[in-house]
Amino acid sequence: DVKVTQSSRYLVKRTGEKVFLECVQDMDHENMFWYRQDPGLGLRLIYFSYDVKMKEKGDIPEGYSVSREKKERFSLILESASTNQTSMYLCASSSPRDGSTDTQYFGPGTRLTVL
Amino acid sequence: RKEVEQDPGPFNVPEGATVAFNCTYSNSASQSFFWYRQDCRKEPKLLMSVYSSGNEDGRFTAQLNRASQYISLLIRDSKLSDSATYLCAVNTNAGKSTFGDGTTLTVKP
């Protein structure tokens, strides 16, 4: 089974802090994604990556950056956390080699609260 | 207008009922289609992919109508354990999915 893990389930940070959210997948997937999920707004794509050292902006990249130095790890960085970044953050991975045609496998999520 | 739209519900149905969800998408170049299930405070998990010919998995049937640009999910003989939020997802560029906001289903005894 594909396993996607995220570094924290719950995180509380203060406004202005730099925040790192880590995601690791163990299935050698090429594609990795970061979403945030908010009530009434659904899942929104922040950034994604098709390969090591590659990154692409999603629909809401402002205030975020990412890093993919190794294939299995995709990090989301909040350079200066703000209260409007309080949300559930979900990481996902997929592979074009997967017979299920790019099914996304999600991590358990990190609920971030910025005070 | 959102790229992928779903009726948010909630749908409240008795056990044993048949319930159907629809999802419309705006990009005619969309290539692959999915239904995910998300339990409360959990991550989304793939329920089923949706193929042009339609596909069935037990009590669940998914269909795709490319001409009208919608996908549907039919759940027969609803169980209490089917209570969840159902998200549709559409892939336009390889690997990148756009998700609907989800439809909430509650099955009651």
Side-chain angles (χ1 to χ4, degrees):
Chain A
D1 277 353
V2 177
K3 192 158 186 186
V4 181
T5 57
Q6 295 184 227
S7 50
S8 306
R9 292 301 301 273
Y10 299 94
L11 208 53
V12 179
K13 295 292 181 180
R14 297 214 173 268
T15 301
E17 282 193 79
K18 191 168 186 174
V19 181
F20 292 87
L21 302 182
E22 304 283 344
C23 175
V24 178
Q25 49 90 7
D26 65 358
M27 284 301 293
D28 199 36
H29 281 177
E30 291 82 359
N31 306 329
M32 296 190 74
F33 308 85
W34 274 107
Y35 298 89
R36 62 178 284 178
Q37 187 173 34
D38 302 285
L41 296 175
L43 273 167
R44 293 182 290 168
L45 182 64
I46 304 171
Y47 266 97
F48 61 104
S49 169
Y50 287 143
D51 204 348
V52 176
K53 297 194 185 296
M54 289 183 64
K55 59 184 180 183
E56 299 280 347
K57 291 181 180 179
D59 300 319
I60 52 161
E62 296 79 17
Y64 304 93
S65 62
V66 290
S67 172
R68 191 155 182 212
E69 296 296 318
K70 294 185 178 181
K71 191 175 185 179
E72 68 270 19
R73 187 180 296 270
F74 193 33
S75 303
L76 181 70
I77 302 150
L78 288 66
E79 294 289 342
S80 177
S82 63
T83 54
N84 63 10
Q85 293 178 309
T86 292
S87 186
M88 169 68 86
Y89 289 88
L90 288 157
C91 174
S93 72
S94 71
S95 173
R97 296 176 287 113
D98 182 347
S100 299
T101 321
D102 290 327
T103 299
Q104 294 201 10
Y105 299 87
F106 286 84
T110 296
R111 189 166 291 281
L112 172 67
T113 302
V114 182
L115 301 175
Chain B
R1 185 190 169 194
K2 291 187 176 183
E3 278 189 60
V4 178
E5 295 205 62
Q6 293 182 250
D7 181 347
F11 284 63
N12 298 306
V13 302
E15 273 188 290
T18 296
V19 61
F21 307 136
N22 284 333
C23 171
T24 59
Y25 61 95
S26 60
N27 191 332
S28 59
S30 300
Q31 298 169 355
S32 49
F33 308 87
F34 308 89
W35 283 102
Y36 287 79
R37 171 192 169 127
Q38 186 174 23
D39 293 302
C40 188
R41 297 190 175 276
K42 299 279 190 179
E43 72 274 21
K45 292 184 179 179
L46 180 72
L47 179 65
M48 54 201 307
S49 301
V50 188
Y51 304 116
S52 297
S53 56
N55 46 304
E56 189 173 310
D57 183 3
R59 298 181 294 108
F60 297 83
T61 301
Q63 294 205 312
L64 166 64
N65 185 319
R66 284 189 183 272
S68 300
Q69 295 184 200
Y70 76 83
I71 63 174
S72 64
L73 177 68
L74 183 76
I75 306 175
R76 290 181 299 278
D77 188 23
S78 299
K79 311 289 185 192
L80 296 176
S81 57
D82 293 334
S83 297
T85 296
Y86 292 84
L87 304 168
C88 65
V90 174
N91 284 22
T92 304
N93 298 320
K96 183 170 168 281
S97 291
T98 300
F99 288 82
D101 292 350
T103 298
T104 300
L105 171 67
T106 301
V107 181
K108 300 189 173 180

